Amino acid sequence: MEPYYTFHHELLSLKKKLMQVSTMVEERVRTAASCLVERNDEALRQLVLTDYEVDEMEVEIEEDCLKILALHQPVASDLRFIVAVIKINNEIERIADMAVSIALRIQSIYKKCDENGKAPNYWFYDYSEMSEKVIVMLKMSLDALVNRDSAMARQVFILDDDVDQMMKDAYDRVRDEIKRNPEQPGRLINMYLVARHLERIGDRATNISEEVVHLVEGTIVRSQ
């Protein structure tokens, strides 16, 4: 079998695995966001229990990248692609971790509300706009990767500023609520941490977009 054919086949397999884990993680973020709107204890439980699936995929993809580097010693655009996959793979795994963290915070909030007999009042802050924007950022960054579209990747940078502002707004709301209801600090801090986790997903999506720009244009934009 020709070495180039083997190399090309391994690159295609690597792309397929990266898209597979990206789809898995995007679905997990959507599940976590939906549970901010409507309680679903089983979905939250499954989200936490199946985190290992993404972890295993991350390790497998990283091992594939190292194998390709060792056996084929790619150069130019192929080398840049492999390096980008290694970095993006890690970002995707961290996004999955953030989705799990959101699920754990939601579970804790539900538990506190149930214990206090306040089941109808889980939330005083609406996270729907923030979560929707974060999901758009994630989807755009992954689509930009698939299509090698640096223009789309750069659009994510603008959305990141919006998410940062929403996180600050959530912090202000939680701070004011703690002043009004100091007897529930744990629940309220968890509500702020939900916003923080969403903001971190946005940051990770931005990091993916930065890698896409570098992959397509050869330009490093992290410091800009």
Side-chain angles (χ1 to χ4, degrees):
M1 184 177 294
E2 291 293 330
Y4 177 78
Y5 175 83
T6 303
F7 174 56
H8 182 67
H9 178 75
E10 289 176 354
L11 280 183
L12 289 176
S13 176
L14 183 61
K15 292 176 184 178
K16 182 177 179 180
K17 288 181 181 179
L18 186 64
M19 292 305 99
Q20 180 181 350
V21 72
S22 298
T23 300
M24 291 168 59
V25 171
E26 184 179 344
E27 183 59 34
R28 280 163 167 72
V29 174
R30 289 183 183 277
T31 297
S34 69
C35 290
L36 289 167
V37 178
E38 183 177 354
R39 181 168 183 171
N40 188 330
D41 293 332
E42 180 58 24
L44 291 170
R45 190 178 73 86
Q46 286 299 317
L47 185 58
V48 174
L49 291 178
T50 59
D51 185 50
Y52 74 92
E53 295 176 350
V54 176
D55 294 340
E56 290 178 352
M57 283 290 293
E58 184 214 8
V59 172
E60 184 177 340
I61 290 172
E62 183 174 341
E63 289 177 345
D64 286 351
C65 288
L66 296 177
K67 177 183 175 182
I68 292 173
L69 288 172
L71 294 180
H72 302 288
Q73 299 180 346
V75 296
S77 62
D78 289 331
L79 176 59
R80 204 155 66 225
F81 173 72
I82 299 299
V83 172
V85 169
I86 292 173
K87 293 181 178 180
I88 291 171
N89 183 45
N90 179 256
E91 297 292 351
I92 289 172
E93 189 275 334
R94 292 296 296 132
I95 290 172
D97 286 345
M98 291 297 102
V100 171
S101 295
I102 291 173
L104 292 173
R105 299 299 174 189
I106 294 173
Q107 287 178 330
S108 179
I109 290 169
Y110 285 156
K111 181 179 179 181
K112 290 292 184 183
C113 289
D114 292 344
E115 288 174 353
N116 294 329
K118 295 182 178 181
N121 303 308
Y122 296 123
W123 309 98
F124 69 88
Y125 186 81
D126 184 3
Y127 286 102
S128 58
E129 183 180 2
M130 187 178 187
S131 60
E132 287 171 7
K133 186 151 292 192
V134 166
I135 289 171
V136 168
M137 289 177 67
L138 178 57
K139 180 170 174 44
M140 286 179 65
S141 66
L142 296 175
D143 286 347
L145 173 62
V146 172
N147 300 313
R148 298 204 177 193
D149 187 340
S150 60
M152 179 181 291
R154 290 179 182 277
Q155 293 178 31
V156 175
F157 305 157
I158 299 173
L159 295 177
D160 189 46
D161 292 337
D162 295 339
V163 172
D164 288 344
Q165 184 58 53
M166 290 177 182
M167 194 270 289
K168 293 176 183 176
D169 292 342
Y171 170 78
D172 291 339
R173 287 289 304 278
V174 170
R175 181 191 59 195
D176 293 342
E177 190 68 19
I178 288 177
K179 292 178 181 178
R180 287 192 291 268
N181 298 287
E183 73 282 359
Q184 300 180 43
R187 168 176 169 257
L188 297 174
I189 289 173
N190 275 322
M191 293 196 70
Y192 166 69
L193 290 174
V194 166
R196 180 60 177 159
H197 295 324
L198 287 170
E199 187 267 341
R200 290 301 295 147
I201 292 174
D203 285 346
R204 299 288 177 177
T206 300
N207 292 345
I208 293 172
S209 296
E210 290 173 349
E211 294 302 327
V212 172
V213 172
H214 182 248
L215 173 64
V216 176
E217 302 178 1
T219 303
I220 297 176
V221 295
R222 286 194 299 273
S223 61
Q224 298 179 14

XYZ file of all heavy atoms in Angstrom, residues 92-176:
693
model
N -12.564 20.777 22.872
C -13.854 20.087 22.805
C -14.097 19.277 24.075
O -15.207 19.280 24.630
C -13.909 19.195 21.551
C -14.003 20.066 20.291
C -15.096 18.229 21.613
C -13.880 19.294 19.005
N -13.054 18.601 24.550
C -13.195 17.815 25.788
C -13.506 18.726 26.967
O -14.321 18.388 27.830
C -11.916 17.017 26.029
C -12.021 15.993 27.154
C -11.746 16.581 28.530
O -11.016 17.600 28.607
O -12.246 16.034 29.530
N -12.887 19.893 27.012
C -13.137 20.824 28.107
C -14.566 21.385 28.031
O -15.185 21.643 29.057
C -12.123 21.987 28.059
C -10.702 21.583 28.363
C -10.533 21.064 29.791
N -10.821 22.129 30.745
C -11.621 21.984 31.802
N -12.234 20.842 32.030
N -11.826 22.992 32.636
N -15.076 21.577 26.821
C -16.462 22.017 26.677
C -17.409 20.967 27.246
O -18.396 21.296 27.924
C -16.788 22.306 25.196
C -16.050 23.567 24.743
C -18.298 22.469 24.982
C -16.145 23.835 23.253
N -17.113 19.691 26.975
C -17.927 18.611 27.543
C -17.883 18.655 29.064
O -18.905 18.443 29.734
C -17.436 17.256 27.034
N -16.716 18.945 29.620
C -16.592 19.066 31.079
C -17.457 20.203 31.606
O -18.076 20.087 32.676
C -15.131 19.304 31.474
C -14.271 18.061 31.343
O -14.834 16.947 31.228
O -13.033 18.191 31.362
N -17.496 21.312 30.867
C -18.317 22.441 31.282
C -19.803 22.081 31.259
O -20.571 22.504 32.134
C -18.065 23.646 30.386
C -16.702 24.311 30.525
S -16.406 25.019 32.167
C -15.334 23.746 32.867
N -20.209 21.296 30.269
C -21.607 20.852 30.200
C -21.952 20.002 31.419
O -23.044 20.132 32.002
C -21.856 20.061 28.914
N -21.024 19.140 31.812
C -21.228 18.324 33.009
C -21.297 19.212 34.252
O -22.134 19.000 35.141
C -20.104 17.282 33.155
C -20.183 16.587 34.519
C -20.186 16.248 32.051
N -20.431 20.205 34.311
C -20.440 21.125 35.459
C -21.774 21.852 35.558
O -22.308 22.047 36.661
C -19.294 22.137 35.336
O -18.040 21.502 35.418
N -22.316 22.270 34.420
C -23.636 22.915 34.423
C -24.681 21.947 34.955
O -25.542 22.320 35.773
C -24.004 23.399 33.012
C -23.101 24.561 32.598
C -25.472 23.834 32.951
C -23.271 24.988 31.156
N -24.626 20.696 34.494
C -25.588 19.690 34.957
C -25.511 19.515 36.470
O -26.539 19.418 37.153
C -25.332 18.358 34.252
N -24.300 19.473 37.002
C -24.126 19.307 38.451
C -24.669 20.514 39.214
O -25.272 20.359 40.285
C -22.640 19.098 38.772
C -22.029 17.779 38.272
C -20.519 17.772 38.508
C -22.675 16.575 38.963
N -24.453 21.697 38.677
C -24.988 22.909 39.327
C -26.519 22.890 39.315
O -27.159 23.246 40.309
C -24.473 24.165 38.612
C -22.974 24.331 38.611
C -22.399 24.439 40.003
N -20.944 24.465 39.947
C -20.154 24.378 41.002
N -20.677 24.268 42.212
N -18.845 24.401 40.873
N -27.085 22.496 38.191
C -28.549 22.440 38.087
C -29.102 21.436 39.093
O -30.101 21.707 39.782
C -28.976 22.065 36.659
C -28.583 23.178 35.676
C -30.487 21.835 36.586
C -28.820 22.819 34.227
N -28.480 20.282 39.173
C -28.927 19.263 40.137
C -28.892 19.810 41.554
O -29.815 19.571 42.347
C -28.050 18.020 40.023
C -28.298 17.179 38.785
C -27.366 15.989 38.697
O -26.224 16.022 39.173
N -27.831 14.910 38.086
N -27.839 20.527 41.872
C -27.714 21.100 43.211
C -28.799 22.140 43.474
O -29.381 22.192 44.567
C -26.321 21.726 43.375
O -26.173 22.301 44.650
N -29.094 22.966 42.478
C -30.134 23.987 42.625
C -31.495 23.335 42.829
O -32.274 23.735 43.705
C -30.141 24.909 41.390
C -28.887 25.790 41.385
C -31.400 25.782 41.366
C -28.659 26.532 40.084
N -31.797 22.316 42.029
C -33.062 21.614 42.183
C -33.177 21.003 43.577
O -34.235 21.048 44.221
C -33.185 20.508 41.131
C -33.490 21.011 39.739
C -33.151 20.241 38.620
C -34.112 22.232 39.522
C -33.434 20.693 37.327
C -34.396 22.681 38.246
C -34.058 21.903 37.155
O -34.338 22.342 35.889
N -32.091 20.408 44.051
C -32.090 19.761 45.358
C -32.368 20.773 46.461
O -33.174 20.529 47.366
C -30.753 19.073 45.596
C -30.673 18.338 46.928
C -29.320 17.642 47.083
C -29.231 16.928 48.424
N -27.899 16.274 48.600
N -31.700 21.934 46.384
C -31.894 22.968 47.393
C -33.331 23.488 47.381
O -33.943 23.693 48.438
C -30.922 24.127 47.142
C -29.465 23.806 47.412
C -29.198 23.597 48.880
C -27.713 23.370 49.136
N -27.445 23.087 50.573
N -33.864 23.694 46.180
C -35.238 24.184 46.076
C -36.228 23.164 46.633
O -37.185 23.524 47.332
C -35.567 24.502 44.620
S -34.738 25.963 43.976
N -36.028 21.878 46.316
C -36.925 20.828 46.816
C -36.880 20.749 48.332
O -37.908 20.592 48.998
C -36.541 19.482 46.202
C -36.813 19.431 44.704
O -37.559 20.307 44.219
O -36.273 18.528 44.038
N -35.671 20.873 48.876
C -35.518 20.797 50.336
C -36.211 21.963 51.030
O -36.758 21.815 52.129
C -34.029 20.793 50.701
C -33.309 19.496 50.354
C -31.817 19.587 50.599
O -31.342 20.699 50.914
O -31.132 18.544 50.489
N -36.212 23.117 50.371
C -36.815 24.309 50.969
C -38.292 24.470 50.606
O -38.911 25.468 50.953
C -36.048 25.563 50.522
C -34.634 25.585 51.060
O -34.371 25.075 52.139
N -33.714 26.163 50.296
N -38.809 23.491 49.863
C -40.208 23.564 49.482
C -40.518 24.663 48.494
O -41.613 25.212 48.474
N -39.520 24.981 47.632
C -39.710 26.060 46.659
C -39.549 25.536 45.235
O -38.912 26.147 44.387
C -38.708 27.185 46.913
C -38.901 27.881 48.250
C -37.916 29.019 48.417
C -38.149 29.750 49.745
N -37.208 30.881 49.923
N -40.104 24.378 45.001
C -39.959 23.742 43.692
C -40.406 24.609 42.523
O -39.789 24.574 41.473
C -40.718 22.414 43.680
N -41.473 25.398 42.634
C -41.891 26.208 41.471
C -40.930 27.350 41.141
O -41.048 27.964 40.092
C -43.248 26.764 41.909
C -43.687 25.901 43.036
C -42.427 25.518 43.736
N -39.988 27.685 42.057
C -39.142 28.860 41.879
C -37.663 28.479 41.774
O -36.843 28.916 42.571
C -39.343 29.835 43.049
C -40.797 30.247 43.197
O -41.407 30.669 42.241
N -41.333 30.120 44.392
N -37.350 27.644 40.806
C -35.969 27.221 40.660
C -35.057 28.385 40.275
O -33.947 28.515 40.747
C -35.862 26.134 39.584
C -36.586 24.854 39.917
C -37.562 24.355 39.067
C -36.279 24.144 41.072
C -38.223 23.168 39.351
C -36.929 22.963 41.376
C -37.902 22.476 40.507
O -38.550 21.312 40.799
N -35.537 29.235 39.371
C -34.686 30.260 38.773
C -35.280 31.655 38.949
O -36.476 31.843 38.871
C -34.504 29.993 37.275
C -34.063 28.592 36.974
C -34.851 27.548 36.588
C -32.744 28.079 37.071
N -34.096 26.426 36.442
C -32.799 26.706 36.716
C -31.510 28.641 37.401
C -31.673 25.894 36.699
C -30.389 27.834 37.384
C -30.470 26.482 37.032
N -34.449 32.622 39.186
C -34.875 34.014 39.148
C -34.199 34.729 37.968
O -34.529 35.876 37.668
C -34.512 34.741 40.452
C -33.043 34.948 40.655
C -32.410 36.066 40.154
C -32.280 34.008 41.327
C -31.044 36.254 40.321
C -30.928 34.188 41.511
C -30.301 35.315 41.004
N -33.275 34.035 37.315
C -32.562 34.628 36.178
C -32.757 33.739 34.958
O -32.627 32.518 35.039
C -31.069 34.768 36.498
C -30.282 35.499 35.432
C -30.273 36.894 35.374
C -29.552 34.801 34.480
C -29.565 37.563 34.389
C -28.833 35.472 33.496
C -28.839 36.843 33.460
O -28.134 37.513 32.485
N -33.069 34.359 33.830
C -33.330 33.629 32.583
C -32.027 33.464 31.792
O -31.469 34.438 31.289
C -34.364 34.386 31.751
C -34.756 33.620 30.486
O -34.268 32.486 30.293
O -35.552 34.158 29.699
N -31.562 32.219 31.685
C -30.313 31.941 30.984
C -30.530 31.583 29.510
O -29.568 31.231 28.822
C -29.574 30.780 31.662
C -28.929 31.150 32.974
C -29.520 30.799 34.183
C -27.740 31.855 33.010
C -28.937 31.137 35.393
C -27.150 32.214 34.210
C -27.745 31.841 35.398
O -27.165 32.185 36.588
N -31.746 31.648 29.042
C -32.037 31.156 27.690
C -31.265 31.918 26.614
O -30.701 31.310 25.694
C -33.545 31.229 27.411
O -34.025 32.552 27.557
N -31.215 33.233 26.695
C -30.507 34.008 25.674
C -29.010 33.712 25.691
O -28.385 33.529 24.640
C -30.731 35.510 25.880
C -30.069 36.373 24.803
C -30.291 37.857 25.017
O -30.924 38.242 26.023
O -29.821 38.646 24.168
N -28.447 33.628 26.883
C -27.021 33.354 27.008
C -26.675 31.965 26.494
O -25.705 31.780 25.746
C -26.586 33.494 28.468
C -25.092 33.381 28.681
S -24.633 33.603 30.423
C -22.836 33.620 30.285
N -27.463 30.971 26.878
C -27.186 29.602 26.447
C -27.362 29.459 24.941
O -26.580 28.767 24.272
C -28.080 28.607 27.191
O -29.451 28.863 26.970
N -28.372 30.127 24.376
C -28.579 30.067 22.926
C -27.399 30.679 22.176
O -26.943 30.142 21.159
C -29.875 30.789 22.556
C -31.142 30.014 22.937
C -32.396 30.839 22.759
O -32.285 31.967 22.203
O -33.473 30.378 23.162
N -26.886 31.790 22.686
C -25.757 32.439 22.015
C -24.507 31.583 22.113
O -23.727 31.498 21.145
C -25.514 33.827 22.625
C -24.448 34.636 21.908
C -24.701 36.133 22.013
C -25.916 36.584 21.253
N -26.027 38.037 21.112
N -24.308 30.940 23.261
C -23.155 30.060 23.429
C -23.240 28.873 22.467
O -22.232 28.468 21.862
C -23.068 29.570 24.889
C -22.105 28.389 25.015
C -22.621 30.708 25.796
N -24.433 28.316 22.310
C -24.615 27.193 21.382
C -24.346 27.645 19.950
O -23.721 26.912 19.162
C -26.038 26.615 21.518
C -26.172 25.875 22.852
C -26.352 25.670 20.361
C -27.585 25.451 23.179
N -24.787 28.851 19.594
C -24.501 29.390 18.260
C -22.991 29.522 18.058
O -22.453 29.169 17.003
C -25.193 30.754 18.062
C -24.663 31.441 16.801
C -26.698 30.570 17.969
N -22.291 30.027 19.077
C -20.838 30.168 18.989
C -20.177 28.813 18.771
O -19.271 28.669 17.929
C -20.294 30.797 20.265
C -20.614 32.257 20.447
S -20.001 32.880 22.038
C -18.224 32.754 21.779
N -20.615 27.824 19.523
C -20.029 26.493 19.407
C -20.275 25.915 18.019
O -19.355 25.395 17.381
C -20.602 25.579 20.487
C -20.117 24.124 20.472
C -18.606 24.052 20.582
C -20.786 23.329 21.599
N -21.515 26.020 17.561
C -21.862 25.480 16.242
C -21.089 26.200 15.135
O -20.579 25.564 14.200
C -23.363 25.601 15.998
C -23.815 25.059 14.638
C -25.305 24.984 14.530
C -25.767 24.591 13.141
N -25.017 23.486 12.540
N -20.987 27.510 15.238
C -20.257 28.273 14.226
C -18.777 27.904 14.200
O -18.174 27.768 13.118
C -20.423 29.774 14.480
C -21.786 30.326 14.117
S -21.928 32.106 14.466
C -20.723 32.762 13.320
N -18.189 27.733 15.369
C -16.767 27.394 15.416
C -16.513 26.023 14.806
O -15.533 25.821 14.077
C -16.249 27.451 16.857
O -16.841 26.443 17.666
N -17.411 25.072 15.077
C -17.253 23.721 14.526
C -17.546 23.696 13.030
O -16.866 23.000 12.266
C -18.153 22.744 15.282
C -17.817 22.563 16.769
C -18.835 21.665 17.450
C -16.418 22.005 16.949
N -18.552 24.459 12.594
C -18.838 24.556 11.156
C -17.669 25.213 10.427
O -17.323 24.817 9.300
C -20.114 25.359 10.920
C -21.378 24.591 11.288
O -21.279 23.363 11.490
O -22.449 25.210 11.379
N -17.082 26.221 11.057
C -15.922 26.886 10.454
C -14.769 25.907 10.299
O -14.029 25.955 9.303
C -15.500 28.075 11.317
N -14.632 25.011 11.267
C -13.585 23.999 11.184
C -13.845 23.038 10.031
O -12.951 22.758 9.220
C -13.503 23.224 12.505
C -12.563 22.022 12.535
C -11.126 22.458 12.285
C -12.688 21.284 13.864
N -15.073 22.555 9.945
C -15.425 21.598 8.894
C -15.214 22.212 7.506
O -14.665 21.572 6.595
C -16.888 21.133 9.051
C -17.318 20.300 7.853
C -17.045 20.336 10.332
N -15.654 23.465 7.359
C -15.606 24.121 6.054
C -14.333 24.934 5.828
O -14.173 25.556 4.768
C -16.824 25.044 5.901
C -18.132 24.289 5.993
O -18.300 23.261 5.361
N -19.057 24.803 6.792
N -13.472 24.954 6.860
C -12.246 25.761 6.802
C -12.587 27.204 6.405
O -12.019 27.782 5.481
C -11.229 25.155 5.852
C -10.762 23.763 6.284
C -9.419 23.412 5.728
N -8.973 22.113 6.226
C -7.731 21.646 6.120
N -6.810 22.397 5.547
N -7.400 20.463 6.583
N -13.548 27.752 7.137
C -14.092 29.078 6.847
C -13.604 30.054 7.924
O -14.191 30.155 9.003
C -15.619 28.999 6.827
C -16.274 30.292 6.371
O -15.618 31.345 6.422
O -17.449 30.244 5.978
N -12.543 30.783 7.626
C -11.974 31.701 8.614
C -12.875 32.904 8.854
O -12.878 33.481 9.950
C -10.582 32.160 8.176
O -10.636 32.826 6.927
N -13.662 33.303 7.846
C -14.580 34.430 8.015
C -15.645 34.092 9.056
O -15.981 34.920 9.915
C -15.226 34.798 6.682
N -16.186 32.880 8.984
C -17.164 32.449 9.981
C -16.513 32.353 11.356
O -17.113 32.752 12.368
C -17.753 31.088 9.599
C -18.764 30.556 10.605
S -19.433 28.930 10.172
C -20.402 29.362 8.718
N -15.302 31.862 11.401
C -14.597 31.746 12.686
C -14.442 33.113 13.338
O -14.602 33.251 14.557
C -13.237 31.094 12.467
N -14.151 34.120 12.550
C -13.964 35.461 13.110
C -15.271 36.042 13.658
O -15.236 36.894 14.557
C -13.373 36.393 12.041
C -11.919 36.075 11.696
C -11.385 37.013 10.631
N -9.998 36.694 10.260
C -8.925 37.104 10.934
N -9.081 37.882 11.998
N -7.715 36.773 10.534
N -16.398 35.619 13.146
C -17.681 36.093 13.670
C -17.890 35.649 15.122
O -18.585 36.314 15.890
C -18.816 35.583 12.793
C -18.843 36.169 11.396
C -19.963 35.590 10.542
O -21.012 35.224 11.051
N -19.736 35.488 9.249
N -17.295 34.525 15.475
C -17.421 34.014 16.843
C -16.792 34.984 17.838
O -17.273 35.133 18.966
C -16.774 32.617 16.957
C -16.795 32.112 18.398
C -17.494 31.626 16.038
N -15.724 35.657 17.421
C -15.055 36.601 18.322
C -16.005 37.708 18.779
O -15.967 38.141 19.930
C -13.831 37.231 17.642
C -12.836 36.245 17.098
C -11.968 36.605 16.073
C -12.749 34.962 17.607
C -11.039 35.711 15.568
C -11.824 34.047 17.116
C -10.972 34.424 16.092
N -16.856 38.154 17.872
C -17.800 39.231 18.195
C -18.847 38.738 19.196
O -19.177 39.435 20.171
C -18.479 39.737 16.908
C -17.437 40.287 15.939
C -19.528 40.806 17.230
C -17.976 40.649 14.571
N -19.344 37.525 18.978
C -20.350 36.965 19.877
C -19.785 36.753 21.277
O -20.518 36.836 22.270
C -20.875 35.637 19.322
C -21.636 35.711 17.998
C -22.030 34.317 17.538
C -22.869 36.592 18.133
N -18.485 36.495 21.368
C -17.865 36.259 22.672
C -17.986 37.487 23.572
O -18.171 37.367 24.789
C -16.394 35.875 22.487
C -15.753 35.414 23.789
O -16.380 34.600 24.505
O -14.632 35.868 24.093
N -17.898 38.670 22.983
C -18.055 39.893 23.772
C -19.461 39.977 24.366
O -19.643 40.403 25.517
C -17.789 41.126 22.899
C -16.330 41.239 22.481
O -15.481 40.667 23.182
O -16.053 41.879 21.450
N -20.466 39.560 23.597
C -21.851 39.574 24.084
C -22.018 38.624 25.270
O -22.675 38.956 26.265
C -22.815 39.160 22.967
C -22.827 40.149 21.820
O -22.436 41.317 22.030
O -23.240 39.764 20.710
N -21.435 37.431 25.154
C -21.546 36.437 26.225
C -20.835 36.919 27.485
O -21.320 36.726 28.608
C -20.983 35.077 25.768
C -20.906 34.094 26.942
C -21.852 34.499 24.659
N -19.693 37.563 27.309
C -18.971 38.108 28.468
C -19.840 39.119 29.213
O -19.880 39.135 30.456
C -17.674 38.786 28.021
C -16.617 37.781 27.570
O -16.779 36.579 27.879
O -15.646 38.199 26.922
N -20.541 39.961 28.467
C -21.413 40.958 29.097
C -22.581 40.291 29.813
O -22.978 40.713 30.919
C -21.930 41.939 28.046
C -22.761 43.080 28.615
C -22.001 43.892 29.643
O -20.896 44.360 29.391
N -22.585 44.069 30.830
N -23.128 39.231 29.218
C -24.229 38.508 29.862
C -23.776 37.870 31.164
O -24.532 37.824 32.142
C -24.764 37.439 28.912
C -25.510 37.988 27.713
S -26.041 36.696 26.577
C -26.801 37.662 25.275
N -22.548 37.378 31.187
C -22.025 36.792 32.422
C -21.905 37.850 33.517
O -22.230 37.614 34.676
C -20.672 36.144 32.143
C -20.184 35.202 33.257
S -19.189 36.053 34.500
C -17.705 36.356 33.552
N -21.477 39.042 33.136
C -21.376 40.134 34.102
C -22.759 40.535 34.614
O -22.938 40.824 35.806
C -20.677 41.330 33.459
C -19.217 41.077 33.133
C -18.594 42.265 32.397
C -17.150 41.972 32.010
N -16.553 43.078 31.214
N -23.741 40.546 33.713
C -25.110 40.864 34.124
C -25.642 39.825 35.105
O -26.308 40.167 36.096
C -26.029 40.925 32.896
C -25.709 42.100 31.990
O -25.042 43.044 32.462
O -26.132 42.073 30.813
N -25.353 38.554 34.827
C -25.790 37.475 35.727
C -25.137 37.642 37.098
O -25.792 37.440 38.132
C -25.438 36.121 35.130
N -23.870 38.020 37.099
C -23.173 38.241 38.377
C -23.850 39.352 39.177
O -24.080 39.213 40.391
C -21.713 38.603 38.114
C -20.981 39.081 39.354
C -20.531 38.170 40.316
C -20.769 40.442 39.571
C -19.881 38.611 41.458
C -20.126 40.889 40.712
C -19.678 39.973 41.648
O -19.041 40.407 42.781
N -24.185 40.444 38.502
C -24.841 41.565 39.193
C -26.192 41.137 39.758
O -26.550 41.504 40.893
C -25.028 42.735 38.230
C -23.699 43.392 37.850
O -22.719 43.216 38.601
O -23.648 44.056 36.795
N -26.947 40.354 38.983
C -28.255 39.904 39.443
C -28.129 38.981 40.651
O -28.899 39.091 41.620
C -28.985 39.174 38.311
C -29.494 40.082 37.201
C -30.677 40.929 37.668
N -31.749 40.106 38.187
C -32.660 39.495 37.435
N -32.610 39.604 36.117
N -33.614 38.774 37.989
N -27.177 38.077 40.599
C -26.974 37.149 41.714
C -26.507 37.897 42.956
O -26.971 37.630 44.073
C -25.957 36.055 41.332
C -25.558 35.238 42.559
C -26.540 35.135 40.265
N -25.615 38.849 42.785
C -25.128 39.645 43.917
C -26.284 40.382 44.591
O -26.399 40.384 45.836
C -24.088 40.648 43.420
C -23.490 41.530 44.515
C -22.697 42.653 43.901
N -23.553 43.470 43.027
C -23.074 44.338 42.135
N -21.782 44.486 41.976
N -23.912 45.054 41.396
N -27.162 40.975 43.784
C -28.304 41.687 44.351
C -29.270 40.725 45.039
O -29.848 41.049 46.086
C -29.049 42.448 43.241
C -28.207 43.578 42.662
O -27.228 43.987 43.321
O -28.516 44.032 41.540
